[in-house]
Amino acid sequence: MGSLPSLIELISRHAPSDGFHDTPIAGVTLVRSGSPTVPMPVVYEPTLCLIAQGRKQVAVGTTSYIYDAATYLVASVDIPVMGSVIEASEQAPYLCLVLNLDMGVLSDLALRHPADGTLGGPGSAIELNATTPPLLDAAVRLAGLLDTPADIAELAPLIIREMLYRLLMTSGAVRQMAGADSRLSQIAKAIAWIRSHYQQSCRIEEIADIAGMSRSTLHAHFKAVTAMSPLEFRSQLRLQEARRLMVAHAFDAAGAGYRVGYDSPSQFSRDYVRLFGLPPGKDAERLRNAAP
C-alpha cells in the first residue's frame, strides 16, 4: 500500500466520526467530515494541515486558498480565517492530519540548517506547497504510531522533528517563522498581543512598539501577512468570539457585542453583517437551528 492510501486508512480508523479528534500524540489532531461544510470562522494557530482525502477552502480577507492531498497548508501566525470543506462524501470523507508547529524545534533546526542568503520580507500568513513524498511518508509513520501507543513517547518527537525539517527546507513561511529577527517574527509578536487584548481599545503606536517597528512599517507588513490592518484583525477576533457566545451560550446581540469590546451596538451590528452576511440575531438563530 502506498503512502497516501496508508494515511487514508489510518485516519479513517482513528477518526471514525465527523469532527476533530485529539490523539495521544501531542500536537496532532485528526479531522473528518462526511459532507461539505458551510464556511465557518476559526483562528488558525501556527500549524500544518495535511489532507489525505477531500478538498478544503480557506479564506483570509478577500484571498481564498484551495488545497487537497497534493498540496499542504501552513499557517505561520495566528490568523482568523473562514474555512469550509468543499469536497467530501460518506464514501470518500474529508480526512486531514493537523500538526501544531513547535517553534522550539523549528528554531533549533534553523540554527543547524541556516538559509542561503538573507530572509526577505514576510509572505502571507497562509502558504500552500506541494506535498512531497518524504513529508507524506513521515506523516504516515507518525499516524501509524496510533496503532502502537507504547512507541509514541520515544518515536513521535523524532518523526515530528523530521516533518518540521521537511517543512523548513521547502516552505518560505516556515523558514520565516524560525528566524528570530525576521519580519514575520515581529508581526507574530503584534498578533499575540492583539489576541490577548482584543476586547480592549488599543493604539497602533502601542502595537508597533511591541513589534519593534514604526507605525507605517507595522501597517505595511501586518497587511502583507494577514491581508488585514491591525484594527481589522482585532475586529475579526471580536466578531468570531461574539458569534460563539451567541450560538453556544445564548447571549443576545447587545450582550455579546459588549462582552467582546464594542461600545456601540449599531457598530457591532454593521461589522457583523459585513463579515457574516446576516444581522447577529438572525445569524445565531440560523446556526443554532442548523446544529445537529
Side-chain angles (χ1 to χ4, degrees):
M1 185 182 293
S3 292
L4 188 58
S6 296
L7 188 60
I8 291 171
E9 191 272 335
L10 284 163
I11 297 177
S12 294
R13 282 195 293 107
H14 291 282
S17 59
D18 285 1
F20 292 81
H21 298 261
D22 293 331
T23 74
I25 305 173
V28 175
T29 304
L30 305 179
V31 187
R32 179 190 185 112
S33 179
S35 62
T37 62
V38 299
M40 290 295 292
V42 65
V43 177
Y44 277 7
E45 297 182 350
T47 189
L48 162 70
C49 297
L50 192 63
I51 292 177
Q53 184 169 264
R55 184 172 297 175
K56 189 169 185 179
Q57 177 172 292
V58 171
V60 181
T62 59
T63 303
S64 291
Y65 302 85
I66 295 175
Y67 64 111
D68 54 20
T71 310
Y72 69 81
L73 177 146
V74 164
S76 55
V77 296
D78 298 355
I79 182 75
V81 306
M82 297 289 287
S84 58
V85 174
I86 59 174
E87 184 180 299
S89 66
E90 287 297 335
Q91 294 73 31
Y94 168 82
L95 301 170
C96 182
L97 183 148
V98 178
L99 173 66
N100 296 338
L101 301 184
D102 187 317
M103 289 304 303
V105 175
L106 277 174
S107 297
D108 179 64
L109 286 168
L111 289 173
R112 294 170 179 270
H113 306 278
D116 295 330
T118 59
L119 289 172
S124 170
I126 299 294
E127 182 181 271
L128 301 182
N129 285 304
T131 300
T132 62
L135 179 63
L136 184 59
D137 176 68
V140 170
R141 285 184 279 112
L142 183 65
L145 293 178
L146 297 174
D147 289 336
T148 58
D151 296 333
I152 288 174
E154 291 298 329
L155 298 183
L158 302 178
I159 300 173
I160 289 173
R161 185 180 179 88
E162 177 188 347
M163 293 179 69
L164 295 181
Y165 168 77
R166 302 294 180 191
L167 296 179
L168 184 73
M169 304 307 287
T170 58
S171 166
V174 173
R175 176 66 70 173
Q176 278 277 337
M177 288 174 63
D181 298 325
S182 70
R183 290 296 195 192
L184 187 62
S185 177
Q186 291 175 285
I187 295 299
K189 292 177 184 177
I191 287 173
W193 190 90
I194 295 172
R195 285 201 70 185
S196 299
H197 300 83
Y198 71 90
Q199 296 164 311
Q200 305 171 15
S201 60
C202 58
R203 297 182 305 109
I204 294 298
E205 290 80 6
E206 185 175 4
I207 302 173
D209 286 343
I210 290 165
M213 295 177 169
S214 68
R215 175 173 175 162
S216 60
T217 302
L218 170 72
H219 191 276
H221 287 294
F222 199 100
K223 191 131 189 171
V225 170
T226 68
M228 292 172 270
S229 71
L231 294 184
E232 288 170 338
F233 185 94
R234 184 191 66 177
S235 292
Q236 284 224 13
L237 294 177
R238 286 180 168 184
L239 293 168
Q240 288 191 10
E241 176 61 11
R243 195 187 211 195
R244 187 190 70 83
L245 291 172
M246 289 188 294
V247 174
H249 299 286
F251 274 61
D252 62 20
Y258 179 77
R259 174 65 70 90
V260 300
Y262 277 90
D263 295 324
S264 167
S266 59
Q267 184 64 52
F268 169 65
S269 183
R270 285 194 298 271
D271 288 353
Y272 195 100
V273 171
R274 190 178 300 116
L275 182 61
F276 297 123
L278 287 173
K282 288 184 178 179
D283 181 57
E285 182 180 7
R286 177 183 65 88
L287 291 173
R288 285 194 293 267
N289 290 338

